[in-house]
């Protein structure tokens, strides 16, 4: 059953690629050799299509920032290293996906990006602060960095 799903997904992906190639250059003739080559490369690239076992990136990032407790925030590389240590089954494009999610969390107001190229967690409500075990000074302020405290999120 899993192989059937995988083959169907690869076939649909191949058809999409061929459609886009034809649209990009209508004068280019795509033959069965091209189609077979694309199909073979897709099979090689995508060994399986399975649901990841790790939590969503937003949760992994927030946990990393809370656990790292770096005084001036954490760099993208430090966050990535933490996530790689803590979670298995990360996608091969982990670094790029992490970058995209960090940007989205900044736009959503969950994180701030500092002048020094570090990310810090923003906290939005007293209820959320209490749940996370964080101390803040205001409604949407930066968390008081708890690097000197042994706060653990259960």
């Amino acid at each position: 059953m899993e192989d059937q799903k995988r083959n169907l997904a690869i076939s649909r992906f191949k058809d999409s690629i061929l459609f886009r190639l034809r649209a990009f250059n209508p004068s280019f003739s795509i033959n069965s050799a091209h189609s077979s080559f694309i199909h073979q490369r897709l099979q090689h690239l995508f060994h399986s299509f399975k649901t990841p076992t790790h939590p969503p990136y937003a949760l992994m990032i927030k946990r990393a920032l809370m656990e790292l407790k770096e005084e001036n925030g954490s760099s993208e590389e430090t966050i990535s290293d933490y996530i790689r240590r803590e979670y298995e089954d990360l996608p091969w494009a982990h670094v790029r996906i992490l970058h995209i999610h960090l940007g989205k969390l900044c736009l959503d107001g969950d994180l701030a990006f500092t002048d020094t190229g570090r990310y810090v967690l923003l906290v939005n409500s007293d209820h959320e602060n209490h749940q996370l075990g964080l101390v803040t000074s205001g409604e949407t302020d930066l968390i008081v960095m708890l690097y000197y405290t042994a706060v653990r999120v259960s």
Side-chain angles (χ1 to χ4, degrees):
M1 186 63 157
E2 188 66 32
D3 284 341
Q4 200 173 22
K5 285 183 183 179
R6 178 179 170 265
N7 288 335
L8 180 61
I10 287 174
S11 180
R12 287 181 178 167
F13 194 28
K14 178 193 73 173
D15 292 344
S16 175
I17 291 170
L18 292 172
F19 176 79
R20 291 174 192 273
L21 283 172
R22 286 184 191 104
F24 179 71
N25 188 354
S27 64
F28 183 70
S29 174
I30 298 174
N31 59 36
S32 61
H34 296 121
S35 179
S36 292
F37 176 76
I38 291 170
H39 189 81
Q40 288 172 354
R41 296 305 301 154
L42 289 174
Q43 284 181 322
H44 178 74
L45 285 172
F46 302 108
H47 301 289
S48 66
F49 290 99
K50 61 182 179 175
T51 304
T53 58
H54 60 77
Y57 265 83
L59 293 178
M60 293 191 297
I61 291 167
K62 288 177 183 180
R63 178 174 177 219
L65 289 169
M66 288 185 291
E67 293 291 325
L68 291 168
K69 299 178 196 148
E70 294 184 292
E71 183 176 358
N72 298 314
S74 301
S75 69
E76 188 169 333
E77 184 176 350
T78 305
I79 295 167
S80 177
D81 290 344
Y82 176 87
I83 291 172
R84 285 180 194 270
R85 277 192 316 272
E86 293 295 317
Y87 302 100
E88 297 177 2
D89 198 29
L90 295 172
W92 58 269
H94 162 72
V95 173
R96 182 69 183 138
I97 294 169
L98 175 65
H99 182 76
I100 291 167
H101 280 277
L102 286 167
K104 183 179 181 315
L105 288 169
C106 286
L107 288 174
D108 291 347
D110 294 324
L111 302 180
F113 185 71
T114 67
D115 294 338
T116 59
R118 297 180 159 293
Y119 293 91
V120 289
L121 187 61
L122 295 172
V123 182
N124 296 319
S125 72
D126 290 335
H127 174 70
E128 185 177 352
N129 296 344
H130 180 70
Q131 279 186 320
L132 297 175
L134 302 175
V135 178
T136 62
S137 59
E139 190 173 323
T140 311
D141 290 357
L142 294 174
I143 63 171
V144 176
M145 300 313 287
L146 299 173
Y147 68 99
Y148 55 85
T149 312
V151 173
R152 283 265 186 214
V153 176
S154 304

mmCIF file of all heavy atoms in Angstrom, residues 107-139:
data_model
loop_
_atom_site.group_PDB
_atom_site.id
_atom_site.type_symbol
_atom_site.label_atom_id
_atom_site.label_comp_id
_atom_site.label_asym_id
_atom_site.label_seq_id
_atom_site.Cartn_x
_atom_site.Cartn_y
_atom_site.Cartn_z
ATOM 1 N N LEU A 107 7.543 37.420 11.619
ATOM 2 C CA LEU A 107 6.433 38.187 11.048
ATOM 3 C C LEU A 107 5.167 38.066 11.887
ATOM 4 O O LEU A 107 4.395 39.018 12.014
ATOM 5 C CB LEU A 107 6.138 37.721 9.623
ATOM 6 C CG LEU A 107 7.159 38.116 8.567
ATOM 7 C CD1 LEU A 107 6.818 37.461 7.229
ATOM 8 C CD2 LEU A 107 7.241 39.620 8.418
ATOM 9 N N ASP A 108 4.954 36.881 12.477
ATOM 10 C CA ASP A 108 3.769 36.645 13.306
ATOM 11 C C ASP A 108 3.890 37.255 14.699
ATOM 12 O O ASP A 108 2.931 37.253 15.469
ATOM 13 C CB ASP A 108 3.496 35.146 13.447
ATOM 14 C CG ASP A 108 3.033 34.517 12.142
ATOM 15 O OD1 ASP A 108 2.678 35.257 11.205
ATOM 16 O OD2 ASP A 108 3.041 33.261 12.061
ATOM 17 N N GLY A 109 5.084 37.762 15.041
ATOM 18 C CA GLY A 109 5.282 38.377 16.351
ATOM 19 C C GLY A 109 5.604 37.390 17.458
ATOM 20 O O GLY A 109 5.557 37.751 18.636
ATOM 21 N N ASP A 110 5.949 36.163 17.101
ATOM 22 C CA ASP A 110 6.331 35.176 18.109
ATOM 23 C C ASP A 110 7.809 35.271 18.466
ATOM 24 O O ASP A 110 8.213 34.914 19.571
ATOM 25 C CB ASP A 110 6.026 33.760 17.626
ATOM 26 C CG ASP A 110 4.535 33.501 17.478
ATOM 27 O OD1 ASP A 110 3.769 34.035 18.302
ATOM 28 O OD2 ASP A 110 4.145 32.771 16.555
ATOM 29 N N LEU A 111 8.629 35.702 17.503
ATOM 30 C CA LEU A 111 10.065 35.861 17.707
ATOM 31 C C LEU A 111 10.484 37.256 17.284
ATOM 32 O O LEU A 111 9.794 37.912 16.498
ATOM 33 C CB LEU A 111 10.872 34.869 16.858
ATOM 34 C CG LEU A 111 10.656 33.382 17.009
ATOM 35 C CD1 LEU A 111 11.578 32.623 16.057
ATOM 36 C CD2 LEU A 111 10.888 32.939 18.430
ATOM 37 N N ALA A 112 11.635 37.682 17.783
ATOM 38 C CA ALA A 112 12.253 38.923 17.316
ATOM 39 C C ALA A 112 13.649 38.577 16.820
ATOM 40 O O ALA A 112 14.315 37.702 17.381
ATOM 41 C CB ALA A 112 12.320 39.947 18.441
ATOM 42 N N PHE A 113 14.089 39.257 15.778
ATOM 43 C CA PHE A 113 15.428 39.090 15.230
ATOM 44 C C PHE A 113 16.225 40.308 15.657
ATOM 45 O O PHE A 113 15.858 41.437 15.354
ATOM 46 C CB PHE A 113 15.359 38.973 13.709
ATOM 47 C CG PHE A 113 16.668 38.672 13.062
ATOM 48 C CD1 PHE A 113 17.255 37.425 13.204
ATOM 49 C CD2 PHE A 113 17.314 39.630 12.303
ATOM 50 C CE1 PHE A 113 18.453 37.131 12.598
ATOM 51 C CE2 PHE A 113 18.528 39.353 11.697
ATOM 52 C CZ PHE A 113 19.100 38.096 11.850
ATOM 53 N N THR A 114 17.311 40.087 16.381
ATOM 54 C CA THR A 114 18.075 41.203 16.943
ATOM 55 C C THR A 114 19.082 41.747 15.946
ATOM 56 O O THR A 114 19.355 41.126 14.907
ATOM 57 C CB THR A 114 18.822 40.763 18.217
ATOM 58 O OG1 THR A 114 19.841 39.811 17.847
ATOM 59 C CG2 THR A 114 17.877 40.149 19.235
ATOM 60 N N ASP A 115 19.662 42.893 16.277
ATOM 61 C CA ASP A 115 20.688 43.508 15.431
ATOM 62 C C ASP A 115 21.936 42.640 15.338
ATOM 63 O O ASP A 115 22.725 42.789 14.410
ATOM 64 C CB ASP A 115 21.087 44.884 15.996
ATOM 65 C CG ASP A 115 19.949 45.888 15.918
ATOM 66 O OD1 ASP A 115 19.032 45.688 15.096
ATOM 67 O OD2 ASP A 115 19.977 46.872 16.680
ATOM 68 N N THR A 116 22.123 41.765 16.297
ATOM 69 C CA THR A 116 23.299 40.897 16.313
ATOM 70 C C THR A 116 23.045 39.570 15.594
ATOM 71 O O THR A 116 23.858 38.654 15.686
ATOM 72 C CB THR A 116 23.755 40.624 17.763
ATOM 73 O OG1 THR A 116 22.671 40.014 18.472
ATOM 74 C CG2 THR A 116 24.172 41.908 18.453
ATOM 75 N N GLY A 117 21.898 39.443 14.924
ATOM 76 C CA GLY A 117 21.602 38.242 14.150
ATOM 77 C C GLY A 117 21.149 37.062 14.989
ATOM 78 O O GLY A 117 21.386 35.919 14.640
ATOM 79 N N ARG A 118 20.465 37.372 16.086
ATOM 80 C CA ARG A 118 19.994 36.319 16.978
ATOM 81 C C ARG A 118 18.475 36.399 17.103
ATOM 82 O O ARG A 118 17.886 37.434 16.882
ATOM 83 C CB ARG A 118 20.645 36.444 18.344
ATOM 84 C CG ARG A 118 22.166 36.248 18.261
ATOM 85 C CD ARG A 118 22.774 36.384 19.632
ATOM 86 N NE ARG A 118 24.058 35.769 19.790
ATOM 87 C CZ ARG A 118 24.346 34.472 19.759
ATOM 88 N NH1 ARG A 118 23.406 33.610 19.540
ATOM 89 N NH2 ARG A 118 25.551 34.020 19.956
ATOM 90 N N TYR A 119 17.887 35.275 17.467
ATOM 91 C CA TYR A 119 16.443 35.201 17.640
ATOM 92 C C TYR A 119 16.112 35.101 19.122
ATOM 93 O O TYR A 119 16.773 34.365 19.862
ATOM 94 C CB TYR A 119 15.880 33.975 16.914
ATOM 95 C CG TYR A 119 15.997 34.076 15.418
ATOM 96 C CD1 TYR A 119 17.115 33.583 14.758
ATOM 97 C CD2 TYR A 119 14.994 34.673 14.667
ATOM 98 C CE1 TYR A 119 17.231 33.679 13.385
ATOM 99 C CE2 TYR A 119 15.097 34.774 13.293
ATOM 100 C CZ TYR A 119 16.216 34.278 12.661
ATOM 101 O OH TYR A 119 16.321 34.385 11.301
ATOM 102 N N VAL A 120 15.104 35.859 19.542
ATOM 103 C CA VAL A 120 14.614 35.784 20.915
ATOM 104 C C VAL A 120 13.113 35.562 20.875
ATOM 105 O O VAL A 120 12.418 36.006 19.968
ATOM 106 C CB VAL A 120 14.952 37.052 21.738
ATOM 107 C CG1 VAL A 120 16.422 37.117 22.045
ATOM 108 C CG2 VAL A 120 14.484 38.289 21.036
ATOM 109 N N LEU A 121 12.633 34.855 21.869
ATOM 110 C CA LEU A 121 11.222 34.519 21.977
ATOM 111 C C LEU A 121 10.452 35.708 22.538
ATOM 112 O O LEU A 121 10.853 36.303 23.536
ATOM 113 C CB LEU A 121 11.071 33.303 22.896
ATOM 114 C CG LEU A 121 9.708 32.666 23.030
ATOM 115 C CD1 LEU A 121 9.221 32.141 21.687
ATOM 116 C CD2 LEU A 121 9.773 31.530 24.034
ATOM 117 N N LEU A 122 9.354 36.061 21.888
ATOM 118 C CA LEU A 122 8.449 37.077 22.405
ATOM 119 C C LEU A 122 7.267 36.375 23.048
ATOM 120 O O LEU A 122 6.824 35.347 22.571
ATOM 121 C CB LEU A 122 7.935 37.984 21.269
ATOM 122 C CG LEU A 122 8.969 38.846 20.573
ATOM 123 C CD1 LEU A 122 8.342 39.531 19.370
ATOM 124 C CD2 LEU A 122 9.541 39.860 21.526
ATOM 125 N N VAL A 123 6.774 36.940 24.112
ATOM 126 C CA VAL A 123 5.662 36.327 24.815
ATOM 127 C C VAL A 123 4.493 37.293 24.772
ATOM 128 O O VAL A 123 4.644 38.485 25.023
ATOM 129 C CB VAL A 123 6.058 35.979 26.264
ATOM 130 C CG1 VAL A 123 4.919 35.308 26.972
ATOM 131 C CG2 VAL A 123 7.282 35.080 26.261
ATOM 132 N N ASN A 124 3.295 36.774 24.474
ATOM 133 C CA ASN A 124 2.151 37.637 24.195
ATOM 134 C C ASN A 124 1.150 37.801 25.321
ATOM 135 O O ASN A 124 0.374 38.720 25.302
ATOM 136 C CB ASN A 124 1.410 37.115 22.962
ATOM 137 C CG ASN A 124 2.270 37.192 21.734
ATOM 138 O OD1 ASN A 124 2.982 38.157 21.530
ATOM 139 N ND2 ASN A 124 2.241 36.163 20.922
ATOM 140 N N SER A 125 1.112 36.895 26.271
ATOM 141 C CA SER A 125 0.090 37.022 27.298
ATOM 142 C C SER A 125 0.576 36.436 28.611
ATOM 143 O O SER A 125 1.445 35.578 28.641
ATOM 144 C CB SER A 125 -1.193 36.295 26.872
ATOM 145 O OG SER A 125 -0.994 34.906 26.924
ATOM 146 N N ASP A 126 -0.005 36.912 29.701
ATOM 147 C CA ASP A 126 0.370 36.405 31.011
ATOM 148 C C ASP A 126 0.058 34.921 31.132
ATOM 149 O O ASP A 126 0.802 34.163 31.742
ATOM 150 C CB ASP A 126 -0.353 37.189 32.113
ATOM 151 C CG ASP A 126 0.184 38.610 32.226
ATOM 152 O OD1 ASP A 126 1.355 38.825 31.835
ATOM 153 O OD2 ASP A 126 -0.553 39.493 32.699
ATOM 154 N N HIS A 127 -1.067 34.490 30.523
ATOM 155 C CA HIS A 127 -1.441 33.073 30.569
ATOM 156 C C HIS A 127 -0.374 32.224 29.885
ATOM 157 O O HIS A 127 0.069 31.207 30.411
ATOM 158 C CB HIS A 127 -2.808 32.877 29.919
ATOM 159 C CG HIS A 127 -3.209 31.434 29.805
ATOM 160 N ND1 HIS A 127 -3.545 30.677 30.906
ATOM 161 C CD2 HIS A 127 -3.289 30.608 28.730
ATOM 162 C CE1 HIS A 127 -3.832 29.453 30.515
ATOM 163 N NE2 HIS A 127 -3.684 29.386 29.200
ATOM 164 N N GLU A 128 0.048 32.658 28.688
ATOM 165 C CA GLU A 128 1.070 31.918 27.953
ATOM 166 C C GLU A 128 2.390 31.939 28.733
ATOM 167 O O GLU A 128 3.084 30.933 28.811
ATOM 168 C CB GLU A 128 1.258 32.536 26.563
ATOM 169 C CG GLU A 128 2.202 31.768 25.673
ATOM 170 C CD GLU A 128 2.307 32.351 24.276
ATOM 171 O OE1 GLU A 128 1.534 33.267 23.942
ATOM 172 O OE2 GLU A 128 3.167 31.894 23.536
ATOM 173 N N ASN A 129 2.718 33.081 29.337
ATOM 174 C CA ASN A 129 3.944 33.176 30.128
ATOM 175 C C ASN A 129 3.930 32.155 31.251
ATOM 176 O O ASN A 129 4.910 31.466 31.492
ATOM 177 C CB ASN A 129 4.079 34.570 30.758
ATOM 178 C CG ASN A 129 4.222 35.644 29.722
ATOM 179 O OD1 ASN A 129 4.508 35.354 28.577
ATOM 180 N ND2 ASN A 129 4.026 36.875 30.123
ATOM 181 N N HIS A 130 2.807 32.073 31.928
ATOM 182 C CA HIS A 130 2.690 31.156 33.050
ATOM 183 C C HIS A 130 2.832 29.703 32.581
ATOM 184 O O HIS A 130 3.518 28.897 33.204
ATOM 185 C CB HIS A 130 1.351 31.362 33.768
ATOM 186 C CG HIS A 130 1.159 30.437 34.933
ATOM 187 N ND1 HIS A 130 1.892 30.566 36.090
ATOM 188 C CD2 HIS A 130 0.361 29.360 35.089
ATOM 189 C CE1 HIS A 130 1.530 29.609 36.933
ATOM 190 N NE2 HIS A 130 0.602 28.864 36.340
ATOM 191 N N GLN A 131 2.191 29.379 31.455
ATOM 192 C CA GLN A 131 2.265 28.012 30.917
ATOM 193 C C GLN A 131 3.704 27.644 30.566
ATOM 194 O O GLN A 131 4.129 26.531 30.763
ATOM 195 C CB GLN A 131 1.404 27.879 29.667
ATOM 196 C CG GLN A 131 -0.052 27.665 29.950
ATOM 197 C CD GLN A 131 -0.799 27.400 28.647
ATOM 198 O OE1 GLN A 131 -0.536 28.022 27.623
ATOM 199 N NE2 GLN A 131 -1.719 26.462 28.706
ATOM 200 N N LEU A 132 4.439 28.615 30.034
ATOM 201 C CA LEU A 132 5.804 28.347 29.614
ATOM 202 C C LEU A 132 6.806 28.502 30.750
ATOM 203 O O LEU A 132 7.980 28.187 30.597
ATOM 204 C CB LEU A 132 6.198 29.288 28.457
ATOM 205 C CG LEU A 132 5.393 29.139 27.176
ATOM 206 C CD1 LEU A 132 5.800 30.198 26.179
ATOM 207 C CD2 LEU A 132 5.543 27.754 26.587
ATOM 208 N N GLY A 133 6.361 29.037 31.887
ATOM 209 C CA GLY A 133 7.255 29.253 33.007
ATOM 210 C C GLY A 133 8.190 30.420 32.778
ATOM 211 O O GLY A 133 9.325 30.423 33.235
ATOM 212 N N LEU A 134 7.725 31.430 32.045
ATOM 213 C CA LEU A 134 8.559 32.575 31.697
ATOM 214 C C LEU A 134 8.150 33.815 32.473
ATOM 215 O O LEU A 134 7.005 33.969 32.861
ATOM 216 C CB LEU A 134 8.457 32.867 30.197
ATOM 217 C CG LEU A 134 8.839 31.712 29.277
ATOM 218 C CD1 LEU A 134 8.568 32.085 27.838
ATOM 219 C CD2 LEU A 134 10.290 31.337 29.457
ATOM 220 N N VAL A 135 9.111 34.716 32.653
ATOM 221 C CA VAL A 135 8.862 35.979 33.328
ATOM 222 C C VAL A 135 8.977 37.072 32.277
ATOM 223 O O VAL A 135 9.910 37.080 31.487
ATOM 224 C CB VAL A 135 9.921 36.209 34.432
ATOM 225 C CG1 VAL A 135 9.693 37.532 35.112
ATOM 226 C CG2 VAL A 135 9.894 35.070 35.421
ATOM 227 N N THR A 136 8.022 38.003 32.249
ATOM 228 C CA THR A 136 8.096 39.104 31.293
ATOM 229 C C THR A 136 7.867 40.415 31.999
ATOM 230 O O THR A 136 7.403 40.464 33.128
ATOM 231 C CB THR A 136 7.036 38.972 30.180
ATOM 232 O OG1 THR A 136 5.759 39.028 30.789
ATOM 233 C CG2 THR A 136 7.201 37.693 29.410
ATOM 234 N N SER A 137 8.195 41.472 31.306
ATOM 235 C CA SER A 137 7.961 42.804 31.850
ATOM 236 C C SER A 137 7.083 43.571 30.884
ATOM 237 O O SER A 137 7.533 44.447 30.183
ATOM 238 C CB SER A 137 9.296 43.525 32.059
ATOM 239 O OG SER A 137 9.978 43.613 30.833
ATOM 240 N N GLY A 138 5.824 43.220 30.790
ATOM 241 C CA GLY A 138 4.919 43.899 29.879
ATOM 242 C C GLY A 138 4.157 42.915 29.035
ATOM 243 O O GLY A 138 4.383 41.713 29.092
ATOM 244 N N GLU A 139 3.239 43.442 28.234
ATOM 245 C CA GLU A 139 2.331 42.575 27.483
ATOM 246 C C GLU A 139 3.009 41.830 26.344
ATOM 247 O O GLU A 139 2.819 40.651 26.158
ATOM 248 C CB GLU A 139 1.175 43.421 26.963
ATOM 249 C CG GLU A 139 0.062 42.563 26.380
ATOM 250 C CD GLU A 139 -1.129 43.388 26.022
ATOM 251 O OE1 GLU A 139 -1.439 44.325 26.755
ATOM 252 O OE2 GLU A 139 -1.729 43.099 24.991
#
